[in-house]
Amino acid sequence: MVRKELSGFILDDMKVEDLPEVLVIEKASFQTPWSFALFSAEIKKHISVVRVAKKNGMVVGYLCANIVMDEGHILNLAVHPEYRGRGIASRMIEEMLDIMRESNCKSVFLEVRFSNEEARKMYEKFGFCLLATRKNYYVSPVEDAVVMVLRFGGSRDGDASQPRR
């Protein structure tokens, strides 16, 4: 994958040497964080696209996704608390959606905690819409997941043929 620069930040492939910084962000962002082993496995999987955002060589955000046949799935996204609100997450999502379009994905799925209204609004900005709710999907604390979908062209619900930004 190509390194991309965006207003002082660089988007690059996640590498094992990035994981200590990724894990700091992960633990600061989630109550049930992914482990080193989980991130390491994602880096190695042929269906994974794992990217980091860096500023001055420091990891300030990351996005993990899978592409299986004609479907994309955003698995994990977080930005360091000191760098939130600067458009980093949006830029990573934009780039991932471009990658998924280029990979001929027809749909992109994700799950988000019901209480994470800020994330849900951000995804809606990109055209994601509610598909379903998964009862008690999350633990620590137990909470429902909102399943969201973005469809590239053709479908009324979550149709991203005309991006909303």
Side-chain angles (χ1 to χ4, degrees):
M1 190 102 10
V2 178
R3 271 179 91 136
K4 291 186 180 179
E5 187 158 348
L6 55 126
S7 52
F9 296 91
I10 292 175
L11 296 179
D12 203 0
D13 291 328
M14 184 185 292
K15 299 170 186 64
V16 173
E17 51 267 22
D18 295 321
L19 293 184
E21 292 174 280
V22 166
L23 288 169
V24 167
I25 299 168
E26 178 76 2
K27 289 174 184 169
S29 302
F30 301 108
Q31 295 166 330
T32 51
W34 282 18
S35 65
F36 182 95
L38 271 173
F39 279 106
S40 185
E42 283 303 314
I43 289 170
K44 295 173 186 169
K45 284 175 23 184
H46 76 281
I47 63 170
S48 292
V49 182
V50 287
R51 302 286 280 165
V52 291
K54 292 184 176 183
K55 175 140 181 102
N56 300 325
M58 183 179 97
V59 175
V60 297
Y62 57 86
L63 192 154
C64 301
N66 286 170
I67 297 174
V68 179
M69 298 182 69
D70 64 352
E71 290 184 2
H73 193 148
I74 295 176
L75 304 171
N76 197 342
L77 167 65
V79 174
H80 191 288
E82 293 177 20
Y83 289 87
R84 291 180 185 159
R86 299 184 191 190
I88 297 168
S90 291
R91 287 294 308 197
M92 288 190 295
I93 292 168
E94 285 175 2
E95 182 201 40
M96 189 60 64
L97 294 178
D98 287 345
I99 290 167
M100 290 178 174
R101 277 187 198 94
E102 291 167 10
S103 298
N104 297 315
C105 288
K106 293 180 182 171
S107 302
V108 182
F109 298 89
L110 60 87
E111 294 88 18
V112 62
R113 280 186 180 270
F114 180 82
S115 64
N116 194 344
E117 196 170 316
E118 185 178 348
R120 289 178 19 214
K121 285 181 180 179
M122 179 182 63
Y123 290 122
E124 287 171 356
K125 175 179 86 170
F126 288 96
F128 282 88
C129 64
L130 173 67
L131 179 65
T133 301
R134 291 193 176 142
K135 286 286 186 202
N136 302 324
Y137 181 80
Y138 292 103
V139 295
S140 269
V142 173
E143 186 174 353
D144 295 348
V146 173
V147 181
M148 300 183 83
V149 64
L150 173 69
R151 300 193 196 284
F152 295 125
S155 172
R156 288 185 349 228
D157 297 325
D159 181 355
S161 59
Q162 299 298 320
R164 299 170 205 155
R165 305 225 169 131

